[in-house]
């Protein structure tokens, strides 16, 4: 019997080992076999929805100040009272909200917050006590609003210790606290987007934002200050030109910076003072890029500077292979005249190391001083005129959209046959307008007569708004 029992045990162990090694064998306590339906019915709850979300239990916050069950000491209550109530000037200054226990960095920050609050709420706040470590503020007589703040040794700042937020006073339409300095700081970005904003538009923006109506003089001062911050101090900028030139030569070798001054005497400076006379600068990369990769055509023009010191800003630009503007050199002179243009064109020619001017083309408007300067400094270059500037003179005597299109059709004529057809069309529309164009040299403004060496048939000046067509 013992032998048979041993054989049975050995057979059982062999079957168990085979079951462990057989991948097709499956025997799980979690599967329902035949005859086990009663186990399924007894252990499954059909009323439970498995897809229903499990609601998380409500978690009490870390600090509950109003919970009566908390047994806190006075020191702990004071600590929790001043926790997480710091005033953030970058975010909260536009529309301040005061609370007892709010911490400010210093009394100056609290003053600025009170000013912003007064403007937003359109109320007049009066500072009863205004000291470096203490500030008490009240509203008008009969209004319960009040605020008391003082130095706090625990936080190291100014803390609001008493505050009543209710107002019973009428709103104000004019506030002395809304100064031009505050208007400048608030609307500085508006003036960056529109530097020609009128006072009427500015007044409407202020009224919409603050519901107050400041006087015209305050708006004018705010606009002037905003433009000054945007453009900077012009006198200080001129005084830094020498430093800029030295840094340009040091950091960008090969660049050119030329500045000349003149001694001027007046009542304020009887001994005289140095004033800027001419200025020229160009960058080494621009000069090398134009000489190696751009067409041999130079567009020159000048524009009046509407600043305190006035003057004329001169520019010389080229055209890159993508027909985009490529800067070459810039200059500044006191007035636009023949001598000023001769100096600028001579400096550009020498700076670019041009010895033979025949391969180059110069394009400009018909300013008399500029025409004479080009003939003298770039004698062998082809000189073209901007058709847009020609049309401005043409429009003074001959108006109308038809004549405008005829003028541009003549200028864009690709060959002489097409040019004759366009001239006959204008002559049929208005003979006086056609005779006006006959006085112009066709080589200076008609595409059919341009030389093809520069590989450029652009008819517009570099300052034209349609140049980037």
């Amino acid at each position: 019997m013992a032998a048979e029992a041993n054989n049975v045990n050995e057979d059982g162990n062999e079957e168990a080992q085979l079951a462990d090694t057989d991948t097709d064998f499956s025997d799980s306590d979690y599967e329902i076999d035949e005859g086990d339906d009663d186990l399924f019915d007894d252990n499954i709850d059909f009323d439970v929805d498995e897809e229903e979300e499990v609601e998380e239990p409500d978690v009490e916050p870390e600090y509950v100040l109003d919970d009566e069950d908390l047994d806190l000491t006075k020191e702990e209550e004071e600590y929790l009272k001043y926790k997480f109530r710091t005033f953030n000037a970058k975010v909260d200054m536009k529309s301040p909200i005061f609370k007892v226990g709010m911490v400010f960095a210093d009394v100056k920050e609290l003053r600025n917050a009170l000013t912003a609050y007064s403007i937003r709420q359109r109320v007049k706040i009066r500072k009863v006590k205004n000291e470096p470590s203490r500030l008490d503020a009240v509203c008008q007589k009969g209004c319960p609003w009040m605020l008391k703040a003082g130095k706090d040794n625990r936080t190291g700042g100014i803390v609001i210790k008493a505050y009543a937020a209710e107002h019973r006073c009428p709103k104000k339409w004019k506030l002395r606290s809304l100064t031009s300095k505050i208007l400048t700081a608030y609307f500085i970005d508006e003036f960056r987007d529109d530097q020609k904003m009128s006072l009427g538009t500015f007044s409407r923006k202020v009224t919409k934002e603050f519901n107050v109506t400041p006087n015209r003089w305050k708006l004018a001062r705010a606009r002037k200050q905003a433009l000054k911050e945007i453009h900077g101090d012009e006198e200080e900028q001129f005084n830094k030109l020498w430093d800029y030139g030295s840094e340009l030569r040091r950091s960008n070798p090969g660049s050119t910076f030329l500045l000349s001054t003149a001694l001027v005497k007046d009542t304020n400076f009887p001994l005289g003072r140095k004033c800027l006379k001419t200025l020229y600068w160009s960058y080494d990369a621009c000069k090398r890029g134009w000489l190696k990769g751009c067409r041999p055509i130079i567009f020159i023009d000048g524009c009046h500077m509407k600043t305190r010191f006035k003057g004329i800003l001169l520019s010389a630009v080229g055209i890159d292979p993508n027909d985009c503007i490529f800067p070459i050199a810039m200059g500044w002179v006191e007035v636009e005249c023949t001598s000023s243009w001769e100096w600028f064109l001579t400096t550009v020619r020498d700076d670019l190391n041009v010895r033979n001017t025949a391969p180059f083309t110069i394009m400009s408007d018909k300013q008399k001083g500029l025409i004479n300067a080009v003939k003298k400094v770039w004698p062998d270059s082809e000189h073209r005129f901007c058709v847009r500037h020609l049309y401005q003179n043409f429009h003074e005597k001959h108006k109308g959209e038809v004549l405008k299109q005829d003028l541009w059709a003549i200028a864009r004529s690709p060959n002489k046959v097409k040019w004759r057809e366009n001239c006959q069309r204008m002559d049929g529309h208005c003979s006086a307008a056609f005779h006006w164009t006959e006085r112009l040299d066709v080589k200076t403004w008609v595409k059919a007569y341009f030389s093809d060496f520069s590989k450029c048939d652009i008819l517009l000046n570099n300052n034209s708004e349609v140049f980037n067509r």
Side-chain angles (χ1 to χ4, degrees):
M1 295 296 293
E4 293 178 357
N6 291 333
N7 292 332
V8 172
N9 292 334
E10 291 177 357
D11 294 338
N13 293 334
E14 291 178 358
E15 292 178 357
Q17 294 176 358
L18 290 174
D20 294 337
T21 57
D22 190 358
T23 58
D24 297 333
F25 181 81
S26 177
D27 186 11
S28 174
D29 294 336
Y30 299 100
E31 294 184 358
I32 306 300
D33 297 332
E34 295 182 1
D36 291 340
D37 294 340
D38 54 341
L39 297 176
F40 183 85
D41 297 335
D42 295 340
N43 295 279
I44 300 300
D45 188 357
F46 295 95
D47 296 331
V48 176
D49 186 3
E50 296 180 356
E51 297 182 357
E52 184 179 0
E53 296 182 359
V54 179
E55 296 183 358
E56 297 182 358
D58 295 336
V59 179
E60 292 292 335
E62 184 177 359
Y63 299 111
V64 182
L65 299 180
D66 298 333
D67 194 345
E68 298 179 354
D69 296 334
L70 291 177
D71 187 13
L72 301 177
T73 61
K74 290 185 178 181
E75 290 77 8
E76 292 173 340
E77 289 180 356
E78 289 294 326
Y79 173 79
L80 296 178
K81 180 179 179 181
Y82 294 106
K83 190 70 174 177
F84 305 127
R85 290 192 178 183
T86 303
F87 183 82
N88 188 350
K90 294 182 179 180
V91 180
D92 302 333
M93 190 61 74
K94 289 186 177 181
S95 183
I97 299 176
F98 300 115
K99 293 182 179 179
V100 175
M102 182 174 287
V103 181
F104 294 82
D106 50 25
V107 71
K108 183 179 179 180
E109 186 176 78
L110 178 56
R111 293 181 191 134
N112 295 336
L114 284 172
T115 302
Y117 175 84
S118 172
I119 296 171
R120 283 295 180 184
Q121 300 298 325
R122 292 163 51 197
V123 293
K124 292 185 178 180
I125 302 299
R126 184 167 56 92
K127 301 177 182 66
V128 180
K129 291 186 179 181
N130 191 2
E131 302 173 357
S133 60
R134 182 180 178 182
L135 192 147
D136 296 348
V138 296
C139 194
Q140 299 182 39
K141 187 176 180 180
C143 182
W145 189 93
M146 56 81 67
L147 183 144
K148 293 184 178 182
K151 186 75 174 180
D152 185 74
N153 295 328
R154 293 163 295 182
T155 59
I158 302 297
V159 178
I160 297 179
K161 299 182 178 181
Y163 177 64
E166 182 183 1
H167 278 285
R168 295 179 184 176
C169 56
K171 301 294 184 181
K172 304 296 181 183
W173 285 102
K174 293 184 179 180
L175 294 171
R176 295 185 61 183
S177 57
L178 185 61
T179 60
S180 59
K181 184 177 180 180
I182 294 177
L183 291 175
T184 300
Y186 195 89
F187 291 97
I188 186 68
D189 293 333
E190 300 279 350
F191 283 101
R192 292 185 191 276
D193 297 335
D194 184 11
Q195 297 185 14
K196 296 182 179 180
M197 185 190 304
S198 63
L199 290 181
T201 303
F202 185 27
S203 178
R204 288 189 292 270
K205 288 180 177 291
V206 174
T207 304
K208 182 179 178 180
E209 182 67 27
F210 298 108
N211 291 323
V212 294
T213 54
N215 59 62
R216 187 178 183 87
W217 307 111
K218 184 181 295 186
L219 294 175
R221 291 194 301 271
R223 183 178 66 176
K224 181 179 179 180
Q225 183 63 28
L227 295 178
K228 184 177 180 180
E229 290 187 13
I230 294 172
H231 297 148
D233 190 347
E234 297 174 2
E235 185 173 356
E236 184 179 356
Q237 292 173 0
F238 272 87
N239 292 332
K240 292 183 178 180
L241 284 176
W242 284 111
D243 297 334
Y244 175 77
S246 301
E247 182 63 22
L248 180 63
R249 298 189 190 97
R250 185 197 65 81
S251 61
N252 197 343
S255 299
T256 305
F257 185 90
L258 304 175
L259 186 149
S260 64
T261 59
L263 190 64
V264 177
K265 298 181 180 180
D266 53 20
T267 56
N268 296 329
F269 296 90
L271 299 179
R273 61 172 178 171
K274 291 183 177 180
C275 294
L276 180 64
K277 185 177 181 180
T278 59
L279 175 64
Y280 173 90
W281 74 97
S282 62
Y283 303 104
D284 178 62
C286 293
K287 292 184 292 186
R288 290 187 289 104
W290 182 79
L291 290 172
K292 293 183 178 180
C294 296
R295 300 164 185 166
I297 184 171
I298 300 177
F299 300 82
I300 54 178
D301 198 5
C303 64
H304 294 267
M305 298 183 65
K306 298 179 181 180
T307 59
R308 175 185 172 187
F309 298 100
K310 309 299 180 182
I312 307 296
L313 182 66
L314 308 180
S315 62
V317 301
I319 296 293
D320 65 7
N322 293 326
D323 285 340
C324 296
I325 296 176
F326 193 93
I328 301 175
M330 303 290 288
W332 184 92
V333 293
E334 293 179 305
V335 293
E336 188 177 8
C337 58
T338 302
S339 60
S340 298
W341 278 115
E342 287 182 3
W343 167 81
F344 181 71
L345 292 174
T346 303
T347 308
V348 172
R349 183 195 61 189
D350 297 340
D351 194 21
L352 297 175
N353 197 22
V354 175
R355 295 292 179 262
N356 180 18
T357 61
F360 297 92
T361 299
I362 305 296
M363 188 171 184
S364 66
D365 57 9
K366 290 195 66 176
Q367 205 265 345
K368 293 182 180 180
L370 183 54
I371 295 175
N372 298 330
V374 172
K375 288 182 180 180
K376 182 177 180 180
V377 182
W378 298 72
D380 300 325
S381 299
E382 180 186 9
H383 192 184
R384 302 178 187 175
F385 295 142
C386 170
V387 181
R388 187 177 70 87
H389 287 84
L390 290 178
Y391 172 71
Q392 290 179 353
N393 299 330
F394 177 82
H395 182 70
E396 293 179 359
K397 296 182 179 180
H398 310 286
K399 304 181 184 300
E401 186 65 22
V402 175
L403 294 179
K404 175 183 177 181
Q405 298 301 329
D406 290 342
L407 180 69
W408 279 100
I410 294 174
R412 293 192 178 101
S413 300
N415 50 61
K416 295 180 180 180
V417 176
K418 195 67 175 178
W419 169 71
R420 294 190 185 96
E421 293 179 0
N422 294 328
C423 289
Q424 292 175 1
R425 184 181 299 108
M426 175 180 278
D427 192 12
H429 292 154
C430 180
S431 59
F434 173 69
H435 292 318
W436 187 92
T437 61
E438 281 187 321
R439 296 195 298 268
L440 303 175
D441 186 1
V442 292
K443 293 181 180 180
T444 61
W445 70 288
V446 179
K447 179 179 177 181
Y449 290 88
F450 288 167
S451 65
D452 56 358
F453 183 83
S454 61
K455 303 295 187 299
C456 184
D457 55 4
I458 291 177
L459 306 170
L460 307 176
N461 200 317
N462 57 309
N463 282 345
S464 175
E465 64 272 14
V466 291
F467 184 78
N468 297 324
R469 66 190 192 282

